[in-house]
Amino acid sequence: MSLNLEDVARIARLARIELSAAERETTRDQLNDILGFIEQLQAVDTTGIEPMAHAVDVVQRLRPDVVTETNRRADFQAVAPETEAGLYLVPRVVE
Amino acid sequence: MSDLISSSLRELSAALAAKKVSAVELAAVFLDRIEKLNPTLNAFIALDRAKTLAQAQAADEKRRVDAGATANSPLCGIPLAHKDIFCTRGWRTSCGSQMLANFVSPYDANVVEKLTGAGMVTLGKLNMDEFAMGSSNETSYFGPVKNPWDVSRVPGGSSGGSAAAVAARLTPAATGTDTGGSIRQPAALCGLTGLKPTYGVVSRYGMIAFASSLDQGGPMAKSADDCALLLNAMAGFDPRDSTSLERPAEDYTRDLEKPLAGLKIGLPKEFFGDGMDADVRAAVDAALAEYRKLGATTVEVRLPNSGLSVPAYYVIAPAEASSNLSRFDGVRYGHRAPEYDDLTEMYSRSRAQGFGAEVKRRILIGTYVLSHGYYDAYYLKAQKIRRLIAADFVEAFKQCDVIMGPTSPSVAFAFGAKSADPVQMYLSDIYTISTNLAGLPGMSLPCGFGNNNMPVGLQIIGNWFGEAKMLSVAHQYQKATDWHTRMPEGVK
Amino acid sequence: MSRTTQWEVVIGLETHAQLQTKSKIFSGSSIAFGAAPNVQASAVDIALPGVLPVLNREAVVCAIKFGLAVGATIAPRSVFARKNYFYPDLPKGYQISQFEIPVVLGGGLAITVGAGDTATEKFVHLTRAHLEEDAGKSLHEDFHGRTGIDLNRAGTPLLEIVTEPDMRSSAEAVAYAKALHALVQWIGICDGNMQEGSFRCDANVSVRPMGQKEFGTRREIKNLNSFRFMQQAIDFEVHWQINEIEEGRAIQQATVLFDPDTGETRSMRSKEDAHDYRYFPDPDLLPLEIRPEWIAEVKSGMPELPQAMQARFQADYGLSAYDAASLVASRPMADFFVAAVAEAGAANAKTIANWIMGELAARLNKTDLPVEASPITAVQLAGLIRRIADNTISNNIAKKVFEAMWNGEGGSNNNAADQIIEKQGLKQITDTAAIEALVDEVLAANQKSIEEYRAGKEKAFNALVGQAMKATKGKANPQQVTDLLKKKLGA
């Protein structure tokens, strides 16, 4: 399974990363190298093996339903690219 | 005061307690060294002399008014520096990326909170591979860190700034993080001692996530003894991290003086194959001989699936990273492209500009392996292999107390040697990655020198929650050897 | 397809119920409605680098309650997953939700479609219900042609409740939505406030020729925030789809929005390429374990469910299925009934039910008040019913007393009815001699009516009864008056 330029464009669009035409080609080659390397996993028989999503086998701890946070909007928005009237601003979204 | 820069944390603590030196004086010693040497090494990427000295002054005050507190917090007044992956309130926290080049964190990571709470003084923030993705520190937006043993060589990564800073005695100790070897590999390449704890022992809150199920913070210092003291302050349950484990507090120094007699060291056949360079093998073999001399026995063990750890890792880590790094979208913080036509372009361009090549590569790989139709073949498959890798360790530890082997297949390589070939670079972590997949603790400690007089690291892998045992095994070796006290010529 | 094809409508609903917790699902921020923008958006909610989620216990309790209420399976172990897509009101670039293993599986809701003789019963099966976090809000008002993002709502706990494609008309969809709306409020997990977005429905609508087995291509109508809009939107969508197919155009799977101003649905532009969500288990959250002991503990604290209560009302009080169902349509209504019965006794339950669904419901309806805001309390109504039962007043007089109580006479006193009866002298005349005297007076004054009655005009008798009741100002027992008149006239 190797990626072509359209695949790379589709993945880049999903990941929201702009790639120039030249970058797309390099990226295709590098991703194919990496995928080729990963391919060796397919040879392993994993029948009946439970996937391991976490490094430790414990269950989720639960937080009491208590309000602990206070308003820190000014601190947080000090590092924001664009705000107005307490809102984060982005280019107009058309629904 | 030149002996201060090579002092152990216990010695510094004693000097502070005896008022032979103040925290302010101590901080100034290191700040001056940083000023002198950092332009060459590029280990520090954020410094704030006034803030550091104010913190040192507060530590002096604390030692002055509260002698009891000093006894309980031996690290009070000792300087350290943080890998720039740890959010540090009021400090620019960049994660080595242009994306966060202007991000001043409004909060402290749990690790920072704990170490600051113990009275430690922050010297600054340390350079790293961008978002911890790299094994050479060449992916940092702020330029590569130079290895103090040879500035034409890499310090390793991703905690390369931490390793170089400690090795060059710009700081007595540093924090690091390890997702696939990022504490142990640079520790090996720079000749110091670094420890990655069992997953869940150190809180990940405030540690900018690379691959959440693998990331773990830990100490990097000159010796196992220093690491034990630091781990005492860093580790512990944090209710803000769901993966932080609720366990009773441990004193990681408790077994340091335990003799090695009877220790069973497992040597995985797979770690001693063709992949390792001859100079590394020679140093590791010599270290093992020393251990036998100290009363340990060695036994061959098998980790049959460890060869799959690198490919499995390069599915799991990029998958998690691709999602973890989605928050960097230029909306609430971070880089926003100056020009764009619409929202999608703002996202795509901000991210294209804000992230470097390796980060983009991993995001794309991760996006692909999670995408529709490929999830089972890649992600699920890799997770199943992850379980096989972890199960190998369970079997191996039935035969031994600790596992040993090389940390890295080679000593520090020259800049550019592997940067053009991602897969070659990924294989730098071939001996370290399996412990992250299994969640096990691991260490690297200096065990000699290889080609071009570059340091070689010995890796110790402990059983789950075997930090104290690992530290004891390392400390006993360091009592018998002096590799860990060596200092690069160029920074003397 | 010819224009004579009979079409079958297929509808499945996805409902987002905002859970009634104090804090968010993964952070300690308040979820109170109406705060200034972004003041309830903590480091976790705005997804600062390095922050992590920790699950709110109460959100899980809400999910367990719901699972129990719909007879579903509660997963002993469920998993939180990340749903990845970029949108400015989604700070992490992914939503934490549940995908492969949700917390609630199966179950269903019995609904009644229509009313009276044409009412039909139906069981709507649920596929699942899962816990997830809400997104923030995008405000499109003019900020120099830009969109403003408020993240106060980001991280609000939601239970997404998904049905099987079981509904066959907009009326069924609305009946289900109303039943679900009542249920989530009944068990106290959601305030049901549709204006504030606490209860939002998405409808998956498709059509197929009657008898065809395969489903048609569906379109999803997003964010229906009133039952009326739901009906309108589905009806519009169904007509549109049928028309498209009949015109020879295939339906494309799409997400559409309903515009209440035009009454039309239209395709959304912004989420076109968001279909590859790259779900995977969230590595920041561990599996959610729910042990049987926890379920038992939650169960013991739950109120009697509407269906059980309905069955009990029918069995214990002899109420009709329709009456009992009406009383359990909402928790406050049922509470009112139960409180009144507790006060007036089970023997009067049927009368109470009649009064609640008759006089009280009419008044509440007219004044647009919910039953919990009724000026007449359950205890006051019970006091009135007791006086009917013990013949102190007639049904007609009771209506007068009810009117007075509604208008606040008798205040908030539990014995308001007695006070009004006393004060206005409404007590029924039961003294036979007194009534007989009155009847004699009426007969003496209405010779003409007597003659007409004797000539066979039934109406004339009714007029005589009317006269007699008028003379007693309604306080006589009408049956007693009738009997006496008949006796006197030798009938």
Side-chain angles (χ1 to χ4, degrees):
Chain A
M1 171 78 221
S2 91
L3 302 177
N4 59 32
L5 287 176
E6 287 88 84
D7 295 328
V8 172
R10 180 182 59 84
I11 298 162
R13 196 167 52 243
L14 261 182
R16 296 292 187 276
I17 290 176
E18 189 177 70
L19 292 179
S20 68
E23 284 172 324
R24 264 205 290 281
E25 295 203 11
T26 342
T27 303
R28 176 199 56 195
D29 297 344
Q30 287 174 335
L31 295 194
N32 280 330
D33 277 355
I34 298 168
L35 290 172
F37 174 68
I38 290 169
E39 205 56 34
Q40 54 183 298
L41 297 178
Q42 303 309 323
V44 185
D45 181 9
T46 51
T47 318
I49 307 293
E50 190 66 21
M52 179 172 165
H54 296 282
V56 285
D57 188 21
V58 285
V59 296
Q60 180 60 36
R61 182 163 23 84
L62 300 168
R63 181 176 62 78
D65 182 24
V66 180
V67 175
T68 51
E69 298 291 337
T70 51
N71 174 19
R72 291 194 60 201
R73 187 176 78 182
D75 281 355
F76 295 158
Q77 296 198 339
V79 291
E82 195 182 355
T83 58
E84 189 177 311
L87 297 159
Y88 296 97
L89 294 195
V90 297
R92 192 167 191 89
V93 178
V94 187
E95 286 198 319
Chain B
M1 290 216 202
S2 68
D3 58 328
L4 283 174
I5 62 164
S6 290
S7 300
S8 70
L9 298 190
R10 281 184 205 273
E11 287 162 353
L12 292 176
S13 185
L16 285 162
K19 308 224 177 337
K20 285 183 186 155
V21 67
S22 72
V24 169
E25 287 164 344
L26 197 51
V29 167
F30 286 100
L31 288 173
D32 291 347
R33 271 185 77 77
I34 293 166
E35 202 166 291
K36 195 172 98 195
L37 295 168
N38 196 56
T40 312
L41 296 173
N42 198 28
F44 279 84
I45 51 175
L47 290 161
D48 186 334
R49 195 176 183 101
K51 199 178 286 180
T52 299
L53 292 177
Q55 222 183 345
Q57 206 159 16
D60 280 333
E61 187 63 11
K62 195 172 161 193
R63 279 200 179 260
R64 195 180 62 79
V65 301
D66 188 355
T70 305
N72 290 329
S73 126
L75 300 173
C76 184
I78 298 178
L80 99 162
H82 292 294
K83 183 178 183 179
D84 207 26
I85 200 167
F86 289 101
C87 285
T88 313
R89 193 169 182 160
W91 286 83
R92 197 272 307 274
T93 299
S94 73
C95 222
S97 180
Q98 183 183 358
M99 181 57 84
L100 293 176
N102 293 312
F103 179 71
V104 176
S105 177
Y107 80 106
D108 272 337
N110 178 267
V111 162
V112 172
E113 210 171 73
K114 282 191 161 132
L115 293 172
T116 307
M120 295 198 84
V121 176
T122 306
L123 289 171
K125 304 296 295 287
L126 295 163
N127 205 348
M128 56 183 283
D129 276 301
E130 185 181 8
F131 285 102
M133 298 176 190
S135 307
S136 66
N137 228 292
E138 292 168 286
T139 73
S140 170
Y141 170 67
F142 301 95
V145 177
K146 310 285 170 52
N147 191 317
W149 293 92
D150 176 351
V151 293
S152 71
R153 292 171 187 272
V154 304
S158 66
S159 311
S162 306
V166 177
R169 312 297 194 251
L170 303 186
T171 176
T175 53
T177 62
D178 191 316
T179 305
S182 282
I183 286 177
R184 292 162 288 160
Q185 186 256 14
L189 270 46
C190 289
L192 46 130
T193 308
L195 184 148
K196 175 203 106 68
T198 306
Y199 184 86
V201 164
V202 167
S203 168
R204 294 186 299 113
Y205 192 83
M207 196 175 106
I208 299 175
F210 160 15
S212 311
S213 78
L214 304 165
D215 295 343
Q216 190 60 196
M220 298 175 79
K222 294 187 288 292
S223 67
D225 186 31
D226 286 359
C227 283
L229 286 170
L230 287 165
L231 191 57
N232 273 353
M234 287 173 82
F237 173 64
D238 176 9
R240 288 173 303 179
D241 174 1
S242 294
T243 62
S244 168
L245 299 169
E246 273 180 290
R247 311 180 79 246
E250 273 188 61
D251 175 8
Y252 294 101
T253 65
R254 67 182 187 273
D255 289 338
L256 287 178
E257 298 306 333
K258 227 172 165 177
L260 291 180
L263 180 79
K264 272 202 251 171
I265 300 170
L267 304 176
K269 195 163 177 277
E270 295 75 10
F271 284 11
F272 289 87
D274 295 337
M276 181 175 17
D277 286 354
D279 57 332
V280 172
R281 181 186 294 269
V284 170
D285 283 347
L288 294 172
E290 181 67 34
Y291 269 108
R292 289 189 199 97
K293 222 168 78 185
L294 291 169
T297 54
T298 56
V299 54
E300 185 182 281
V301 295
R302 294 297 310 270
L303 298 172
N305 293 291
S306 65
L308 297 166
S309 61
V310 181
Y313 175 89
Y314 278 95
V315 172
I316 293 168
E320 293 183 9
S322 71
S323 176
N324 282 335
L325 269 61
S326 290
R327 68 188 57 199
F328 302 105
D329 58 5
V331 174
R332 299 162 315 285
Y333 50 80
H335 177 76
R336 180 184 284 199
E339 283 172 37
Y340 46 82
D341 284 340
D342 58 17
L343 179 71
T344 303
E345 204 171 273
M346 186 196 91
Y347 280 151
S348 306
R349 205 162 280 175
S350 300
R351 289 164 60 80
Q353 294 168 359
F355 294 139
E358 180 62 22
V359 171
K360 284 190 256 193
R361 206 151 39 230
R362 297 208 197 179
I363 290 175
L364 294 171
I365 282 286
T367 302
Y368 176 67
V369 299
L370 288 177
S371 67
H372 189 68
Y374 302 100
Y375 178 81
D376 287 9
Y378 287 112
Y379 189 71
L380 223 49
K381 186 84 183 177
Q383 283 202 331
K384 289 176 182 173
I385 289 168
R386 182 177 185 180
R387 188 168 298 279
L388 294 176
I389 291 167
D392 285 352
F393 279 108
V394 175
E395 283 308 307
F397 277 115
K398 287 177 182 166
Q399 293 170 259
C400 60
D401 303 308
V402 293
I403 287 170
M404 283 189 194
T407 305
S408 172
S410 69
V411 295
F413 44 90
F415 285 104
K418 298 183 181 181
S419 47
D421 186 344
V423 172
Q424 273 313 303
M425 186 70 89
Y426 297 170
L427 288 167
S428 306
D429 293 332
I430 189 158
Y431 302 125
T432 47
I433 275 179
S434 53
T435 57
N436 297 82
L437 291 169
L440 288 165
M443 276 187 85
S444 181
L445 58 155
C447 69
F449 292 85
N451 296 345
N452 303 302
N453 211 27
M454 295 304 289
V456 175
L458 173 73
Q459 184 176 207
I460 307 177
I461 299 171
N463 212 330
W464 285 274
F465 308 109
E467 285 82 1
K469 160 77 80 185
M470 243 176 21
L471 284 160
S472 142
V473 169
H475 180 66
Q476 290 301 312
Y477 175 81
Q478 290 183 334
K479 274 172 71 177
T481 59
D482 68 350
W483 303 116
H484 64 290
T485 64
R486 308 287 182 92
M487 183 174 165
E489 276 303 320
V491 296
K492 276 184 180 164
Chain C
M1 298 291 155
S2 84
R3 292 191 182 268
T4 55
T5 306
Q6 291 287 303
W7 295 95
E8 184 176 43
V9 177
V10 176
I11 303 164
L13 287 187
E14 291 171 18
T15 305
H16 289 92
Q18 183 181 314
L19 300 175
Q20 268 182 301
T21 56
K22 295 182 189 74
S23 63
K24 292 188 179 177
I25 184 165
F26 297 119
S27 84
S29 300
S30 168
I31 62 162
F33 185 81
N38 290 309
V39 304
Q40 287 172 184
S42 69
V44 171
D45 309 320
I46 68 167
L48 282 183
V51 298
L52 295 169
V54 184
L55 183 58
N56 182 343
R57 187 176 196 275
E58 193 56 31
V60 182
V61 170
C62 289
I64 297 173
K65 282 183 180 168
F66 180 76
L68 289 169
V70 296
T73 303
I74 292 158
R77 213 174 154 90
S78 62
V79 171
F80 284 93
R82 294 183 181 179
K83 179 182 184 179
N84 294 283
Y85 65 94
F86 286 89
Y87 207 70
D89 62 17
L90 189 70
K92 294 187 291 297
Y94 58 85
Q95 178 194 28
I96 304 177
S97 180
Q98 296 190 302
F99 184 54
E100 279 183 340
I101 315 175
V103 62
V104 173
L105 275 162
L109 233 69
I111 61 168
T112 306
V113 189
D117 295 342
T118 59
T120 53
E121 300 287 319
K122 177 159 186 145
F123 190 80
V124 176
H125 296 85
L126 298 183
T127 313
R128 59 188 279 160
H130 63 256
L131 286 165
E132 64 181 27
E133 58 179 343
D134 207 346
K137 276 182 184 162
S138 299
L139 305 167
H140 305 295
E141 294 98 79
D142 201 28
F143 294 101
H144 332 291
R146 300 176 84 69
T147 291
I149 306 295
D150 176 8
L151 299 174
N152 282 347
R153 199 181 64 182
T156 297
L158 300 177
L159 190 67
E160 179 172 339
I161 302 152
V162 184
T163 73
E164 292 290 303
D166 277 359
M167 288 151 283
R168 295 290 174 269
S169 67
S170 60
E172 287 185 10
V174 170
Y176 160 78
K178 282 184 172 168
L180 181 66
H181 186 244
L183 180 68
V184 293
Q185 292 177 81
W186 186 285
I187 59 177
I189 64 167
C190 173
D191 69 13
N193 190 325
M194 295 178 83
Q195 283 75 46
E196 291 177 5
S198 302
F199 187 90
R200 316 192 287 268
C201 297
D202 303 336
N204 284 298
V205 180
S206 65
V207 298
R208 61 180 169 189
M210 200 63 89
Q212 180 182 301
K213 228 177 154 182
E214 303 77 45
F215 292 124
T217 304
R218 59 174 198 203
R219 303 213 311 163
E220 183 181 15
I221 315 172
K222 280 269 177 211
N223 277 337
L224 296 165
N225 61 4
S226 87
F227 298 124
R228 192 163 55 89
F229 291 165
M230 178 183 289
Q231 179 117 32
Q232 285 175 6
I234 294 173
D235 287 343
F236 177 88
E237 179 66 21
V238 165
H239 284 125
W240 183 87
Q241 287 190 16
I242 292 172
N243 190 53
E244 286 290 294
I245 298 169
E246 288 179 345
E247 297 282 329
R249 290 186 289 269
I251 303 295
Q252 304 294 324
Q253 194 166 329
T255 303
V256 302
L257 284 176
F258 175 68
D259 183 343
D261 297 331
T262 61
E264 296 180 358
T265 54
R266 63 170 172 86
S267 253
M268 281 175 81
R269 283 201 274 167
S270 55
K271 292 193 177 170
E272 276 164 5
D273 64 347
H275 294 304
D276 196 341
Y277 290 126
R278 289 157 285 137
Y279 282 102
F280 75 108
D282 192 331
D284 289 331
L285 291 160
L286 297 159
L288 169 62
E289 187 183 62
I290 301 176
R291 292 172 173 276
E293 305 88 77
W294 192 13
I295 298 176
E297 184 199 315
V298 172
K299 193 173 188 172
S300 69
M302 275 178 70
E304 186 180 15
L305 294 172
Q307 272 183 301
M309 203 178 253
Q310 181 184 340
R312 184 164 63 85
F313 289 171
Q314 288 176 245
D316 292 4
Y317 307 141
L319 300 189
S320 71
Y322 180 80
D323 287 357
S326 307
L327 286 171
V328 301
S330 82
R331 176 91 178 269
M333 184 62 96
D335 286 347
F336 193 96
F337 174 69
V338 168
V341 172
E343 190 66 23
N348 288 316
K350 209 164 175 178
T351 319
I352 292 168
N354 289 338
W355 274 81
I356 290 176
M357 286 181 298
E359 214 67 20
L360 184 68
R363 288 290 181 148
L364 292 171
N365 226 340
K366 209 168 148 188
T367 48
D368 206 18
L369 283 176
V371 68
E372 53 273 40
S374 166
I376 300 176
T377 66
V379 175
Q380 288 176 327
L381 183 68
L384 176 66
I385 305 294
R386 262 203 307 263
R387 292 300 159 256
I388 303 171
D390 65 12
N391 281 324
T392 306
I393 53 173
S394 69
N395 231 1
N396 274 337
I397 292 293
K399 284 180 185 166
K400 268 192 201 168
V401 179
F402 182 91
E403 168 85 28
M405 282 202 287
W406 182 273
N407 292 326
E409 290 178 45
S412 59
N413 296 322
N414 285 344
N415 61 348
D418 286 345
Q419 287 183 0
I420 292 162
I421 293 165
E422 186 64 33
K423 205 169 144 199
Q424 301 190 7
L426 298 173
K427 212 165 168 185
Q428 188 156 272
I429 303 163
T430 45
D431 180 350
T432 316
I435 294 172
E436 200 167 348
L438 272 166
V439 167
D440 287 340
E441 274 176 40
V442 169
L443 289 174
N446 291 283
Q447 282 303 323
K448 203 179 162 201
S449 294
I450 296 170
E451 278 161 30
E452 279 175 10
Y453 170 69
R454 294 230 159 99
K457 274 195 179 171
E458 275 296 317
K459 257 190 180 170
F461 183 76
N462 291 341
L464 287 168
V465 174
Q467 288 294 327
M469 288 307 290
K470 201 175 163 187
T472 64
K473 295 196 177 92
K475 289 185 287 181
N477 183 325
Q479 194 55 48
Q480 214 176 349
V481 171
T482 308
D483 291 350
L484 263 173
L485 271 170
K486 281 192 176 162
K487 198 173 120 196
K488 298 260 172 193
L489 294 169

